[in-house]
Amino acid sequence: MSAQTVDEIKEFFTFYPNKKAAERDSTLYKQKFIAAPVFTYSPETNFAFGTGAKYLFKFNGSGEETRVSNMPMTLQYTLNNQFFLYSGFEVFTNQEKWVIEGNLLFQNYPRLYYGLGSNTPKSAEEQYDYYQFLVEPIFLKQMFHKYLFIGAGFRYNHIFKTKIDPDGLIAQNQPNGFDGSTSVGVEVATLYDSRSSLLNAQDGWYFEFTHGKYGKVLGGTNEFNLTRLDLRHYYEVSKKNIDVLAFQFYAQFSRGDLPFSEYSFFGGSEIMRGYQEGRYVDRDLLAIQTEYRKNFNNSRWGVVGFLGTGDVYNNVSEFQFKNLKPNYGVGARFNLDKVENLNLRFDVGFGEGTNGFYFGIAEAF
């Protein structure tokens, strides 16, 4: 497929909400709304079909000093009889004085369960079904430094219409919240983000810290604390080919009367690829991964190699190097939009006695 054909297909699915205004005023960012049929694959969902959309924009009055805001939306149905509506957004106001980020999710998501802990056997596998509605907006103000933002938000996570095997492991163990739960909490957050691009970073640092306190005052069913850390660094290895070495460290810690839905789920399409999401489950999680992204001059194609390790713990103080679980894999990339540097992604990941392949849009991290 020629580059011209790819661009023509992309343009067919692209709308420009402020096209006329941008043509009259060259200082305005030409907003893009890209909507198209999409299909993806991961071990958790099997093949998924639906509609994907990305709204890329800047507020009027924003120049080169303001990065492009990203508001994606995905609506899909999977061959595992799942459906999900999801948006993970990051919006910059003029001159990046504020950042508004967060998640919105509604899904019916059958999940596989193996028990709690880092040594659960594959033979224990069973399926349970539930509906989930999650909303998490966070508002952060630029403070002290160009790329440093501090703020707060709230998180609401409702699990309902659960279905389990009456003779299965969940029915026997009855983990807290197995029959549904509602988590309502206030979060404080710190964000440092010096990436030049949100969709496919080639340089810079990203660090996000959130700490939430959850209770029953606003209708929650459990009282607990939840802390998350996400540290990433991107290093441009070769300016000639725009090769990138990417690194991520992710951690999640929780304490208190924790419902099952708020436990740490090991594996997935973004970190610890090769393990099914939720293959191992416990209160705390530590994971690290690195990825080399090779790009080719005058080509839309690229390849990646990645490796990582991690584990889950009832308490992170149990950490031991010898118990870390490895993962590694390779992938291919195809550049859909050279202006926004948006890639189509295909990865094959391997873990301890397990593997999986992943097909989707945008990088894993």
Side-chain angles (χ1 to χ4, degrees):
M1 185 180 296
S2 68
Q4 181 178 352
T5 302
V6 173
D7 289 335
E8 289 174 350
I9 294 174
K10 184 198 69 175
E11 285 299 309
F12 179 79
F13 292 107
T14 302
F15 306 90
Y16 301 95
N18 68 337
K19 182 177 180 180
K20 292 183 178 179
E23 289 174 349
R24 293 192 301 266
D25 184 352
S26 61
T27 64
L28 295 178
Y29 175 82
K30 192 175 183 180
Q31 300 174 5
K32 295 181 180 181
F33 184 82
I34 306 170
V38 296
F39 75 95
T40 60
Y41 180 90
S42 73
E44 297 77 37
T45 63
N46 204 313
F47 283 100
F49 308 86
T51 300
K54 278 186 177 293
Y55 181 33
L56 306 175
F57 67 97
K58 293 184 182 182
F59 290 105
N60 290 350
S62 296
E64 293 297 324
E65 79 290 339
T66 305
R67 282 165 286 182
V68 178
S69 295
N70 176 32
M71 292 189 67
M73 184 67 71
T74 300
L75 175 62
Q76 290 186 305
Y77 184 82
T78 81
L79 295 185
N80 285 349
N81 297 319
Q82 304 153 313
F83 74 83
F84 54 91
L85 172 67
Y86 174 72
S87 177
F89 52 89
E90 189 166 1
V91 176
F92 296 97
T93 65
N94 293 353
Q95 289 75 53
E96 300 191 1
K97 297 301 182 184
W98 287 85
V99 174
I100 306 167
E101 64 168 19
N103 300 285
L104 175 66
L105 173 68
F106 178 60
Q107 65 178 357
N108 171 21
Y109 198 95
R111 187 186 291 275
L112 297 179
Y113 178 81
Y114 302 88
L116 298 179
S118 62
N119 296 303
T120 52
K122 176 74 173 176
S123 59
E125 179 181 294
E126 67 178 75
Q127 179 177 308
Y128 71 99
D129 303 294
Y130 63 91
Y131 283 76
Q132 179 180 16
F133 175 68
L134 181 148
V135 59
E136 182 185 22
I138 300 177
F139 303 85
L140 303 112
K141 180 174 175 52
Q142 186 186 74
M143 299 178 68
F144 309 119
H145 190 277
K146 178 181 178 182
Y147 297 123
L148 180 63
F149 306 87
I150 299 174
F154 71 92
R155 184 168 173 270
Y156 176 88
N157 186 21
H158 181 46
I159 306 296
F160 59 105
K161 289 188 177 180
T162 59
K163 293 182 180 180
I164 63 172
D165 181 351
D167 300 318
L169 189 62
I170 297 177
Q172 294 176 26
N173 296 342
Q174 295 192 1
N176 192 2
F178 79 98
D179 55 351
S181 63
T182 301
S183 302
V184 185
V186 176
E187 295 180 315
V188 293
T190 298
L191 173 68
Y192 181 90
D193 188 355
S194 63
R195 298 172 298 169
S196 56
S197 169
L198 306 186
L199 300 176
N200 184 5
Q202 295 175 319
D203 53 33
W205 289 86
Y206 175 92
F207 172 74
E208 183 175 26
F209 166 86
T210 62
H211 177 73
K213 186 172 182 60
Y214 296 79
K216 300 181 180 180
V217 176
L218 299 177
T221 55
N222 301 77
E223 296 182 353
F224 62 95
N225 297 328
L226 180 63
T227 303
R228 292 172 291 178
L229 296 170
D230 188 351
L231 173 65
R232 311 177 196 179
H233 180 50
Y234 305 88
Y235 176 72
E236 192 174 61
V237 179
S238 168
K239 293 185 178 297
K240 180 179 180 181
N241 294 321
I242 324 178
D243 289 0
V244 175
L245 182 63
F247 161 90
Q248 181 184 26
F249 170 75
Y250 182 82
Q252 180 169 310
F253 313 103
S254 53
R255 296 293 180 270
D257 181 30
L258 195 70
F260 179 69
S261 62
E262 301 293 353
Y263 273 64
S264 299
F265 292 85
F266 185 92
S269 62
E270 296 182 349
I271 195 163
M272 298 308 299
R273 284 163 283 178
Y275 294 91
Q276 180 129 352
E277 184 181 9
R279 174 60 186 89
Y280 300 102
V281 179
D282 218 320
R283 294 197 311 172
D284 298 348
L285 179 146
L286 295 175
I288 188 172
Q289 65 178 339
T290 186
E291 183 170 283
Y292 190 94
R293 301 170 181 171
K294 174 68 179 176
N295 299 285
F296 300 102
N297 282 335
N298 303 316
S299 173
R300 290 180 179 267
W301 290 97
V303 295
V304 305
F306 59 89
L307 59 88
T309 188
D311 205 357
V312 293
Y313 313 86
N314 182 257
N315 192 308
V316 74
S317 63
E318 302 168 355
F319 172 84
Q320 291 185 344
F321 280 103
K322 66 179 182 179
N323 294 333
L324 289 172
K325 298 173 174 60
N327 83 306
Y328 60 93
V330 295
R333 300 292 183 268
F334 183 80
N335 191 276
L336 292 173
D337 189 330
K338 288 190 173 183
V339 175
E340 304 298 344
N341 201 18
L342 178 63
N343 284 341
L344 192 66
R345 172 167 70 100
F346 176 79
D347 290 332
V348 180
F350 302 88
E352 285 185 332
T354 182
N355 61 76
F357 70 89
Y358 310 85
F359 179 74
I361 298 176
E363 299 302 318
F365 66 98

